[in-house]
Amino acid sequence: MGEFTVHRVRFFHYMPSAVRALAFQPQRQKIAVARTDGSLEILNRADHLFQEKVIPGREQRGTEALAWAGQRLFSAGLNGELVEYDMQELREKYRLDASGGPVWTLTCNPQGTRLAVGCEDGTVKLFEVCDDGIQFERNLAKQKGRILSLSWHPSGSRLVAGMAGVIWVFDAGTGQSVHRLLVERGTGAPRSKECVVWSVVCLSDGTIVSGDSSGNVKVWDGDTGTLIRNHQVTKWDVLALSVSQDETSLVAGTSEGTVVQFQHLSVVLGREDKEWVQTRTFKNHTHDVRAVLELDTAVVSGGMDTQLVVRPLLDKIDVKTSASALRKIHFPHRRLVSCSRTNLPPLSRPSRGTRALQLAGEEHICCSALSPCGGWVVVSTVTNLRLYRLQCDETISITKVTNQICFSSDSSYLFTASTCSSVHVLALSQSGCTFVCTLKPKSCSGQAILLLTASDDGKWLAAANADHEVQVYNLQKRKAYCTVPVYSSGVTAMSINPATNNLFMVHADQQIFEFSLEQKQYTDWSRLVHRKGLHPQWLERDTPVTNVTFSPRNPAHVILHDMYMFCIIDQTLVRLPSVAKLVNQLTLRSLPEKERRAHSHAFKICKTFKELLFVELLEDQSLVVIERPLLDITAQLPPPVRQKKFAT
Amino acid sequence: MVEQTDIRVVRCGGSKICFSTFLICASGDSVKVFSTRTEECVHVLHGHANQVTGVALNPANHLQVYSCSLDGTVRLWDFIDGILIKTFTVGYKISSIYVSNKHIGVIFIILPMQKHFQLVAVRLPSALEQELEARELSAVLSDVSPVPACTAFGQGVSPSCLIFVCFRFKLKATDKKGARNAFTCVACHPKDDCIATGHQDGKIRLWRNFNQKKEYTYSTQHWHHNAVSALCFSPEGMHLLSGGVESVLVQWHCKEVNKKNFLPRLGGAIAHICVSPDGQMYSTSHTNNKITIISSFRVSAVIQGLVKGAKNKLPHLMIDPRTKALVLNGKPGHLQFYSLERDKQLYSLDIVQQEYIYQAGLDQFEVVKAALDGTASWLATVEQRGSKISSLEFSLKLWSFNEKAQSFELNTTITAPHQNMITAMCFSPAMDTTMLVTVAKDDQFKVWLLGSDLDEQTSWSCEHLGSYHGLQPTNCCFSGDGSLLAVSFAEVVTLWSPDTWELLTTLCQPPGTIEDLCFGRLSCSKYLLGTTTKNLLCWNLLTCALEWSTSMDVCVLRTDPLSENVAAFCHNSGKTDLFVFRPSEPRPLFTQKAVCVGRVQRCIFVPREDPLDSCDEWSQWLNRSRLHFLTEQMELLTFSTRAEDERILNSRKELLVDDSVAMTPFYLLLGKHRQQQQEKQTSVPSQAADRAQLPQGCVAIRELLHTPAHVLPPASFLCSVFLNSLLISNTDEKELPEQEVDSEKEEVDSEEEMEMNNGPQGVRTQGSVGEAPPSLSRAEEKELRRLRKTDFSWVTSLTSS
């Protein structure tokens, strides 16, 4: 494949923010992740946990709680507002002040008709979920102190609220309290320190499970209001609880970074009486686990150390597949960096280093792009889009909502994705930019466009949306050209080959397609790949490919990268890795000549660089590699809780 | 021949009537029953012909115990009385035994099958005969581990459903890369369906939910830093006990997972743990041959056998002449004094006086040399740490015996007495001086003398420093009277006069470095014996010439202090042969081929208390002293003659006939007194006559007294019947009053009459023997009288003594 000069870049100090809340939507298998900076991510569990949608946040608007009401997603934060999100346009639909001070918790009843909000002033407010919004219904009996956790009884008739030192059980119909469960401080805790119930879960048989700041997971009888069992899980806090759908398993996230599983087991086989027994402990986090989800076959946890961990429960999985492996999600599944092919430095999106981005204001950046000539930078937030011309500091501001931006190869056009899957075309000139036209797909699904790519000759534009559809537009005729056949998995990266005008797509399930735009069909190479099948080790990789580029010298060489490796696919080589082991270049080099030939294949994999954010091959055959070591991220985190380790 | 091989507790037994009284453990070829209160061995159940591998209480009768052995038999014992009830012959080597409450009449044993081991259920035939053949075997599981801790029995939900946990999970668990999670032991919860497993990396996993769908789940506890070697649940299932090499017993609370209690410093790696059926006592057995009994989580008793360290570092075994105890390495840093007759550690002397840390890979002080002088008033020890010269640390300690405290006290510590490590050390046997010679690798030997200054504090100091041509000395030895010192320097033996420290002569017999040296004793004291790796050499000191030499690989050479005999163990193609000979004649007195497998490490002649008078030429050498030796496996073995064996067997039979009662102190007191009284009344001097008279008189009483109390009808009922039967016979008697007076007189001044009686006793004997047959009822009556008197006399004898 040849040798490259490598620019190994580490100056992009990308810092993800901590995971604050998780919510699961069982019908569509969507996981909503709220981060402390107010941004929201939607992961699709059915599609290899691909991060489908990202809704950027705002400064000073942290999210505290998330709740799905059917297909609708609500969040609440300490600014006292409830927010509903527009899942198609990827932005906030509306905000509503709960008028009870900061909101600590939010939960929706299992029927999806009512929202309960726990406020700073000690009230639990019920909101009715209407078709066009939410309507305040009533206040439950006001208590002294803030409501920190809430849980509905699965029937929706009761509501359990956790506070400092007390758990209240409310009747949702009358709004009166039924029980008051006193939570004791742990032994040895100072008198002044109250035991805070961080999380409660109400089960269908009336059992209430609580996790508190003294490290106990307590099991209560909800009918009599008595404590059944106390599990001392940690010396620190139990922050989050989650119960599985069938209520046989419960997980608790602690400040130590452990996730403890409890199971509802009969003590003697065959007998009816069951107990909650502490079973496994997972230690995948270094810091507080702020949110957990028990998904029957896996446990999802996230916390202060910014990573999302999906830990499969092996006793529920029979066949060893990619789903049975531990997954950690560190970086967004999108390209954060754009790079011009001239010798200008690459630009990163939410970077604080460049001056242009300091102008973005309090709203978070949702996307950015750098023109191939290096003269233009475009930055978009949820509400507006700014175009900067480098060197002369001239800004052109356009108030247009956009999700994805892309420049044409000669930097004369700017394409911005907009609502209802439409793409606006802007012409750039030295004087400024002018609106040219709007490209609309043939059939509007209304989903936001996630990826945009323009061909080198300025003829084609491809746009992929959240429904996995890829629309191709003819830029010369300025209308929709064709639609690539819809595949079941989302597109994670795509690009148009400059030499052949073939659209190269990589999907979340690691499949690779090449679509000939001229012939409107898959290419022979793509058919070959699918006939032979990709190597199992390639398919088992757990991070999606985030960028596809082509070698400027030889466009038959496709460069892909994910977080752990980059790969150059030689399309001229017919031989696919069909042998038992997918050998990477480093081991290949150490093999003797004969074996090397036997093992060589079209996929040239390099794992020299770790934690990759971006890889691009420049004109002069030099490789730009942007790394963000996880250790650097960990070093910036606050110190974890102190733990006594053996022999220290 | 085998005295001691291996002690390990398998199950703690006890009668359920009161607290657990007995602890049963397999020890070598026998099963020992210990009292948990007094630490005394109550019974030794002999009968197995090979090592006993397992013990299990009979679930149908808690006063009985099963034992299994490598000789292929399972034996059922009554451990209260120490009686063999039944013997079941299986015919295979049995490596462990399990019983289940749900399966009465069936035992589970592990047998070797071709390559692997198999768990087999054996239905025990229920015939009445003593010797039975159990041939009804049915295999349960194959490919199990022979280690007893690796199989456990659970309480199945139904009798048909059992939980066996073996190494079945092993393959699955070790799948994970890099994890040392091989199973080491397993235990089943007595009530719940929960299995605890111990792992190589010190983790304990509690497995639950064993349903058909394989949805088992586990929780992990971690405290041990090395492999968990033993696990045991308490009978109610409230606690889980675990132990390992850390010698800490950990008590886990099953309900509150994070709570645990520790019992540290048990003094040895824990090998087995068991709990008494009532849950009040725990018992741990340790790898250093010790059993600890723990009640209310505190050590209440320690039963210490011969401590088997990793390796005995001392070059010689020694006998403490005062206690007749064998002195050898004990606990790390200790010397143990072990009584051979009682198979018990007398005491342990802390030499290093530092806390031992139970962790692999630590270089800690060890006692490598020890020597006792002739009267055992001085003890010299060398402790050493490190093996390279750069890191070598060693010191010589001299201990004097304190008569008042009856123990050794540290007198002098000499740090770094030589430049390099000491290879040999010996005291001078001469009576007038106390002298110690040390030989070290720094090409020198040093002579140490007790300071004779008038201060109260006497201490040792270096008197002389000798060397020979810069050669490295290997060994040293004093002649029997202390007039000559022989020091071997490589291939040369030098003889020195201890008075003037002048080199008398040198003896040389190349090739080969001299390894062992010893002078002949008594009439053969003119001979000096030496060994090289290939040869055994004998010099005549009068002629200073080689008397004879033979080619043999002698590993141990030892002289008998009470005779001229010398024992030499020769290593020969994997086996060790024994030769006993006199230096004066090169023809051996006794040879035994293949005494044991591997090299013999140490040996010693132990003087007998009472010499044997065997005339057999082959066994004559054993008359004055016994030969004990240590094998590579650190087993202590000894030689015994046939006459001796028979005597032991006879005495055992006597015991069985005569005293089926446990030899408790109470019995000794009462029994002795009863004997005395009988002697006085009937004036029978010899035991034989006494026994002849007993049966008829005592049958009823014996039955009454010796039947276990819980089997007897109520005492009120018995009492009247018993007394009535006796009273009827009384009416006929006329001599009664006189005799009563007589005996009462005797009672009053029993002490004086004891001696006085000696004369007329002979006469009375004849009389009583002659009278015995006609007066049947009188005998009974005497018994009654004696019974009535017993109470008073017992008290008086107590007060008088």
Side-chain angles (χ1 to χ4, degrees), chain B residues 27-270:
Chain B
S27 164
D29 284 3
S30 55
V31 178
K32 287 187 177 174
V33 183
F34 290 97
S35 159
T36 52
R37 279 296 173 90
T38 60
E39 313 167 25
E40 288 293 323
C41 181
V42 182
H43 292 293
V44 181
L45 311 178
H46 290 282
H48 281 293
N50 205 335
Q51 189 181 343
V52 179
T53 49
V55 183
L57 281 184
N58 185 359
N61 185 344
H62 58 82
L63 298 177
Q64 294 176 348
V65 66
Y66 287 110
S67 69
C68 68
S69 159
L70 290 180
D71 64 357
T73 57
V74 174
R75 285 170 199 250
L76 181 64
W77 309 85
D78 182 332
F79 62 83
I80 303 276
D81 297 338
I83 301 167
L84 176 64
I85 300 172
K86 273 179 186 173
T87 305
F88 304 100
T89 312
V90 178
Y92 298 96
K93 287 186 174 183
I94 306 168
S95 52
S96 52
I97 185 169
Y98 306 95
V99 293
S100 160
N101 285 334
K102 300 271 168 62
H103 299 75
I104 304 294
V106 178
I107 57 166
F108 297 88
I109 53 179
I110 290 182
L111 308 174
M113 286 286 160
Q114 285 109 39
K115 277 182 189 166
H116 45 77
F117 286 80
Q118 202 169 30
L119 183 71
V120 168
V122 181
R123 178 160 293 279
L124 297 175
S126 52
L128 287 171
E129 290 97 63
Q130 270 233 331
E131 302 264 337
L132 289 168
E133 291 230 336
R135 292 287 178 214
E136 210 177 314
L137 306 180
S138 53
V140 181
L141 266 183
S142 61
D143 199 10
V144 297
S145 161
V147 182
C150 296
T151 308
F153 242 106
Q155 303 291 113
V157 180
S158 62
S160 63
C161 166
L162 285 174
I163 301 171
F164 276 110
V165 190
C166 310
F167 268 53
R168 272 300 161 92
F169 290 112
K170 184 173 177 177
L171 292 172
K172 199 170 158 44
T174 45
D175 255 348
K176 293 171 196 163
K177 48 192 167 182
R180 294 184 304 133
N181 55 358
F183 288 85
T184 53
C185 52
V186 66
C188 289
H189 196 283
K191 296 256 164 78
D192 301 349
D193 286 337
C194 172
I195 296 167
T197 55
H199 295 261
Q200 197 70 42
D201 53 359
K203 283 180 180 150
I204 295 171
R205 297 210 164 101
L206 288 167
W207 301 77
R208 285 172 205 275
N209 205 20
F210 283 86
N211 55 13
Q212 302 301 321
K213 282 177 277 176
K214 278 186 166 180
E215 281 181 342
Y216 42 76
T217 170
Y218 64 86
S219 56
T220 310
Q221 312 292 335
H222 199 174
W223 182 84
H224 295 277
H225 67 78
N226 269 350
V228 184
S229 57
L231 275 176
C232 189
F233 275 103
S234 66
E236 292 301 314
M238 293 300 287
H239 302 298
L240 173 66
L241 301 166
S242 70
V245 78
E246 303 89 355
S247 74
V248 180
L249 183 70
V250 187
Q251 188 184 37
W252 306 82
H253 294 250
C254 288
K255 293 286 170 194
E256 289 162 86
V257 185
N258 286 341
K259 219 167 144 188
K260 48 191 176 281
N261 299 339
F262 303 104
L263 189 63
R265 291 181 287 281
L266 289 178
I270 294 173

Side-chain angles (χ1 to χ4, degrees), chain B residues 140-442:
Chain B
V140 181
L141 266 183
S142 61
D143 199 10
V144 297
S145 161
V147 182
C150 296
T151 308
F153 242 106
Q155 303 291 113
V157 180
S158 62
S160 63
C161 166
L162 285 174
I163 301 171
F164 276 110
V165 190
C166 310
F167 268 53
R168 272 300 161 92
F169 290 112
K170 184 173 177 177
L171 292 172
K172 199 170 158 44
T174 45
D175 255 348
K176 293 171 196 163
K177 48 192 167 182
R180 294 184 304 133
N181 55 358
F183 288 85
T184 53
C185 52
V186 66
C188 289
H189 196 283
K191 296 256 164 78
D192 301 349
D193 286 337
C194 172
I195 296 167
T197 55
H199 295 261
Q200 197 70 42
D201 53 359
K203 283 180 180 150
I204 295 171
R205 297 210 164 101
L206 288 167
W207 301 77
R208 285 172 205 275
N209 205 20
F210 283 86
N211 55 13
Q212 302 301 321
K213 282 177 277 176
K214 278 186 166 180
E215 281 181 342
Y216 42 76
T217 170
Y218 64 86
S219 56
T220 310
Q221 312 292 335
H222 199 174
W223 182 84
H224 295 277
H225 67 78
N226 269 350
V228 184
S229 57
L231 275 176
C232 189
F233 275 103
S234 66
E236 292 301 314
M238 293 300 287
H239 302 298
L240 173 66
L241 301 166
S242 70
V245 78
E246 303 89 355
S247 74
V248 180
L249 183 70
V250 187
Q251 188 184 37
W252 306 82
H253 294 250
C254 288
K255 293 286 170 194
E256 289 162 86
V257 185
N258 286 341
K259 219 167 144 188
K260 48 191 176 281
N261 299 339
F262 303 104
L263 189 63
R265 291 181 287 281
L266 289 178
I270 294 173
H272 302 275
I273 300 172
C274 65
V275 184
S276 67
D278 57 359
Q280 294 196 342
M281 285 191 198
Y282 305 145
S283 163
T284 57
S285 84
H286 303 262
T287 48
N288 59 359
N289 214 346
K290 183 169 103 164
I291 298 171
T292 312
I293 296 164
I294 294 152
S295 62
S296 64
F297 218 62
R298 225 171 275 143
V299 174
S300 67
V302 174
I303 300 164
Q304 176 74 63
L306 177 64
V307 174
K308 305 201 306 178
K311 201 90 185 164
N312 195 1
K313 297 274 182 183
L314 296 187
H316 296 295
L317 293 176
M318 291 180 297
I319 286 290
D320 178 22
R322 209 174 265 111
T323 53
K324 300 277 183 295
L326 196 66
V327 182
L328 64 170
N329 279 121
K331 283 193 287 190
H334 285 61
L335 279 186
Q336 63 172 330
F337 289 72
Y338 174 77
S339 167
L340 287 168
E341 281 118 50
R342 292 159 61 198
D343 184 14
K344 200 178 163 189
Q345 196 189 71
L346 295 181
Y347 64 97
S348 172
L349 184 65
D350 190 355
I351 302 291
V352 172
Q353 298 179 335
Q354 273 180 14
E355 186 70 33
Y356 186 78
I357 302 158
Y358 291 94
Q359 193 179 337
L362 276 189
D363 196 8
Q364 305 191 62
F365 272 112
E366 276 176 298
V367 184
V368 290
K369 300 279 181 296
L372 275 170
D373 77 339
T375 54
S377 54
W378 287 98
L379 170 71
T381 59
V382 176
E383 64 207 53
Q384 182 182 315
R385 173 160 76 176
S387 48
K388 283 179 234 138
I389 297 180
S390 54
S391 63
L392 190 68
E393 242 184 293
F394 66 110
S395 59
L396 174 68
K397 280 181 179 172
L398 288 140
W399 307 73
S400 65
F401 191 78
N402 188 335
E403 291 288 344
K404 238 184 236 166
Q406 285 292 310
S407 72
F408 284 97
E409 279 180 352
L410 186 61
N411 180 278
T412 310
T413 306
I414 303 155
T415 46
H418 281 269
Q419 306 291 320
N420 204 339
M421 54 175 88
I422 293 175
T423 54
M425 175 166 77
C426 66
F427 273 103
S428 160
M431 281 308 186
D432 48 346
T433 54
T434 352
M435 185 192 292
L436 177 74
V437 176
T438 55
V439 165
K441 277 191 180 166
D442 59 352

